[in-house]
Amino acid sequence: MTPVFGKLKSPGFGAKCQPALLGAVAATLLLLSPIARADTPQRILSVGGAVTEIIYALDQQARLVARDSTSTFPPEAGDLPNVGYARALSPEGVLSVDPDMILATQSSGPPETIEVLKQANLRYVEVPEAYSAAGIISKITTIAAALDQKEAGSALAEQVRADLQSAQDLARAAAGDRRKRVLFILSTQSGRITVGGKRTGADGIITMAGAVNAISEFEGYKQMTDEAISAAAPDIILTMDRGGDHGLTLDSITSLPALMLTPAAQNGQLVRMDGLRLLGFGPRTATAVKDLSQAFYGADK
């Protein structure tokens, strides 16, 4: 989806922004930002797919004036103005929708933009990012408190907590003592394979679904050599359900040199899921865990 707003073109917003210039830009944008409201914020910008989902789950979507490009669920969120990718926001684009509060995931950026927005005359609420059941509950309680919806937030948190517990119990039971090794592939662009290591959303969801991340040598998402991927010997390949250079099919995993000799390719074990549902860690994660567990272990029952 093409963002409505482009990136800020000012030379001060490059990889290294000089403090003096940053201060000048912040002061200018402060004058352009909305006047602070004393009452409960009613013009909310949501940044982060799970953040937007939680706002809808709390039935507070009427207060949304815009969202970022990762906010693709529920489908009606797509009707809102789009301020761009969560990690590549521009102050101009954000402030142009005149929010009185921004609810943004912790990984939003770039840092220069976030610094400017935090100096503006509006509330900026940073939503913690953690790839676990506890992390999802923390998101819900943080957002509910910011929206002055603590009672509804408590009810939603309890329901989501119960659903997550049930889903993980079923996943552990399905796995038993035969936990499968799963390799998450983020991209195969130009034949160079980027995979998910430890402390990533991929690692978190694989663990919650009763499996083991085949990559434990590093943290984050990194490219790996063909030899290292083959040596990881995954039983299953997991990826987001999308097309283009990032897409994977059964044909592609059996033809890529790095994958063709793995147990996953040999046995045709490829699992795909919508990216936000898979890695968003929001209200739908319990159903994602159930479906992944079934995909990983259902055929063996």
Side-chain angles (χ1 to χ4, degrees):
M1 183 179 295
T2 302
V4 173
F5 306 105
K7 294 182 180 179
L8 186 65
K9 300 301 183 181
S10 168
F13 284 81
K16 295 182 178 179
C17 185
Q18 296 297 324
L21 181 57
L22 177 60
V25 174
T28 300
L29 289 172
L30 183 63
L31 296 175
L32 298 175
S33 64
I35 299 174
R37 281 87 166 178
D39 55 349
T40 303
Q42 296 298 324
R43 297 185 55 80
I44 297 168
L45 166 62
S46 176
V47 179
V51 175
T52 302
E53 286 193 41
I54 291 168
I55 292 173
Y56 273 85
L58 292 170
D59 198 26
Q60 295 299 300
Q61 62 270 21
R63 296 161 69 180
L64 286 171
V65 295
R67 47 92 192 186
D68 77 304
S69 63
T70 70
S71 298
T72 58
F73 187 89
E76 52 265 35
D79 295 333
L80 292 165
N82 174 8
V83 299
Y85 179 49
R87 297 187 183 185
L89 300 171
S90 78
E92 290 175 329
V94 168
L95 295 177
S96 71
V97 298
D98 190 28
D100 53 18
M101 181 166 70
I102 298 173
L103 281 167
T105 186
Q106 192 174 23
S107 59
S108 299
E112 296 88 353
T113 292
I114 303 306
E115 184 174 346
V116 170
L117 295 176
K118 287 181 177 180
Q119 294 179 43
N121 283 331
L122 51 82
R123 288 184 62 192
Y124 187 97
V125 179
E126 189 171 79
V127 180
E129 191 73 75
Y131 308 119
S132 64
I136 296 170
I137 302 305
S138 179
K139 288 181 185 179
I140 293 172
T141 55
T142 298
I143 294 169
L147 297 176
D148 195 23
Q149 296 290 314
K150 292 185 179 181
E151 184 175 345
S154 295
L156 178 62
E158 285 305 311
Q159 182 61 61
V160 170
R161 183 183 288 110
D163 291 344
L164 287 167
Q165 186 63 56
S166 175
Q168 290 181 95
D169 288 346
L170 289 172
R172 283 190 290 268
D177 58 359
R178 51 189 173 83
R179 296 176 69 194
K180 294 187 177 181
R181 295 172 58 81
V182 178
L183 173 69
F184 175 79
I185 295 181
L186 179 66
S187 170
T188 59
Q189 192 169 16
S190 302
R192 305 180 70 179
I193 298 178
T194 301
V195 304
K198 307 299 288 184
R199 298 179 67 83
T200 61
D203 183 57
I205 200 70
I206 288 169
T207 301
M208 291 175 73
V212 176
N213 190 351
I215 306 301
S216 59
E217 294 83 1
F218 57 81
E219 297 181 357
Y221 296 97
K222 297 182 181 179
Q223 290 184 349
M224 287 188 72
T225 65
D226 291 359
E227 294 77 13
I229 291 174
S230 295
D235 301 303
I236 298 167
I237 292 169
L238 175 65
T239 189
M240 290 183 280
D241 192 4
R242 56 186 181 180
D245 289 337
H246 297 286
L248 273 179
T249 65
L250 284 175
D251 287 341
S252 63
I253 69 170
T254 56
S255 61
L256 286 168
L259 301 175
M260 59 192 305
L261 297 180
T262 63
Q266 294 290 308
N267 296 315
Q269 295 297 302
L270 172 66
V271 177
R272 296 183 298 188
M273 183 177 285
D274 170 74
L276 180 56
R277 185 165 171 246
L278 179 67
L279 302 177
F281 286 81
R284 295 183 295 158
T285 296
T287 64
V289 168
K290 288 181 180 179
D291 288 350
L292 286 177
S293 174
Q294 177 66 27
F296 293 166
Y297 300 105
D300 293 343
K301 293 181 180 180

